[in-house]
Structures are given as structure tokens and as C-alpha cells.
Amino acid sequence: MNNRIKELRARFNLTQLELAQKVGVRRETIVFLEKGKYNPSLKLAHDISKVFESTIEEVFIFNQ
Amino acid sequence: MKKIYLPLFIITMIVIIVGIWIYQTEAIKSDTALISEYIHIGVIIILFAFGIFFAIRRFRNTKQGLPAEDELSKKIEQKAASKSFFVSLFLWLIISYIQNESGREAESFFGYGIIGMALLFAGFYFYYYFKGNINE
């Protein structure tokens, strides 16, 4: 699964720390997500999408 | 007591106890320690460093207004725990064999087994923390 977190974070002018604070996770989790090393839970995916005012499908791209 | 101070308190107590223990070790004091005694102390220092790493990480996250634990850290802990438990079954098998062959009393091998399990957990934790792909 790929994601656009890094791109959207730059667009919204957010640092990794600020995004982590907004969604209530550690900064390392954002780093792992951006590197594609971790697939988030549905709740975290929903929270991140909400910060970026997008849907889950717009932020997370499922490769079939 | 705040949640963050408990691990710091425990680590401080461990430092004091290990410090006193190393200081009081007669073999080290008299410079007649065996290599195995130095290895023993080295392993304890590694495990202690692992505890310090945990505490610093928790403290830093709390200071930044982030949670000390989240879904990723819990998942890493779970994976490290399950892998280290699985591998430790073989470790105990090897220890049983060595004990049987050496003929030494079994009690002396329990310590090695427990320390080995702790080292395995620390090793797997760092593997998943720094390199591992936990989407597997």
C-alpha cells in the first residue's frame, strides 16, 4: 500500500511532529508510514485523512 | 506519580543495584575475574542500555505532547515478544543439552536462559524498530 502523506504534509505545511500531535501518535509512526513500512489501522488512516481534508482513498493507495 | 516518572524511578533503582553489585564483586575488585564474569556484566549493561533507550524515548515523546505508546510501538513489542518467545524455545533446548553434557547443576543455567531471552527480545525489538517491515 502506498500513500501520499509526505506530499500532503508538504502541501498543508505540516511537520512530522505536528501531524503526529494532530493524530495522537508518535513521530516515528509518521516516519514509518511515509516510508511505507507500516500499514496503519483504519482509525489512524481515517484520522490522517481528516487532517488532510481528504478521503482515505485519496491518501492511501491500495495496490492490488 | 506521573506515568513518565515510574520507568525513570525503576531505571534509577536498577542503576544503583547493578552499580553496587559490580562494585561489590570480589573477583572484579581483586582483578581475578573470569571472561564469563565480564560477559555477564557486559550483557547486563546491554540490557540496561535497552531500558535507558525505552525511558528516553518515552520521556521525549511525553515532553513533545505525544503518547508514550501508540499502535505501531505496541505492534513492534508484540512482534518482538512473539519472535523472541519462539526462538527462546530453541535456546532452552540448547541450554538443556549443554547442561546435560556438562553435568553441572541445572540452577546455574537458569540465569543464562533468562538473560538469553531478554537479549533475544531486545535484539528483535531493535530489528523491528529500525529495519523491520512490520507489514508482513
Side-chain angles (χ1 to χ4, degrees), chain B:
Chain B
M1 190 183 278
K2 261 178 142 183
K3 210 177 175 182
I4 186 68
Y5 293 120
L6 187 63
L8 286 175
F9 174 73
I10 293 168
I11 286 192
T12 312
M13 292 306 291
I14 292 170
V15 172
I16 293 167
I17 291 164
V18 170
I20 291 169
W21 177 60
I22 291 172
Y23 183 73
Q24 290 296 320
T25 305
E26 283 300 323
I28 302 269
K29 272 204 288 192
S30 59
D31 216 22
T32 55
L34 299 169
I35 292 207
S36 65
E37 284 167 329
Y38 282 116
I39 290 171
H40 211 136
I41 289 168
V43 166
I44 287 166
I45 288 168
I46 288 169
L47 294 176
F48 170 69
F50 183 64
I52 290 279
F53 169 77
F54 257 109
I56 288 172
R57 203 191 61 177
R58 273 176 169 269
F59 186 71
R60 194 189 60 204
N61 284 332
T62 312
K63 210 175 169 188
Q64 289 175 335
L66 302 173
E69 294 282 326
D70 67 0
E71 60 177 58
L72 175 63
S73 66
K74 282 175 191 163
K75 202 167 181 179
I76 290 173
E77 275 175 27
Q78 279 173 3
K79 284 209 84 164
S82 66
K83 271 279 192 268
S84 60
F85 175 74
F86 177 71
V87 176
S88 69
L89 295 177
F90 295 98
L91 174 76
W92 281 111
L93 199 68
I94 292 164
I95 285 174
S96 302
Y97 176 76
I98 293 170
Q99 188 270 324
N100 206 26
E101 288 297 306
S102 69
R104 284 168 62 188
E105 54 191 53
E107 285 79 11
S108 62
F109 287 90
F110 287 151
Y112 295 122
I114 291 164
I115 288 174
M117 285 177 82
L119 276 180
L120 281 173
F121 177 75
F124 279 115
Y125 186 90
F126 280 119
Y127 172 75
Y128 287 118
Y129 187 83
F130 289 111
K131 278 193 152 189
N133 186 346
I134 52 173
N135 289 329
E136 295 163 352

Side-chain angles (χ1 to χ4, degrees), chain A residues 10-46:
Chain A
R11 192 186 294 173
F12 279 75
N13 206 18
L14 286 172
T15 63
Q16 288 176 334
L17 179 63
E18 286 165 344
L19 179 60
Q21 285 168 335
K22 279 179 187 287
V23 296
V25 295
R26 298 170 311 128
R27 196 182 65 82
E28 289 96 327
T29 305
I30 303 297
V31 174
F32 265 63
L33 282 169
E34 286 187 357
K35 285 182 180 171
K37 284 186 169 181
Y38 176 56
N39 290 339
S41 68
L42 189 56
K43 186 190 176 297
L44 181 56
H46 173 264

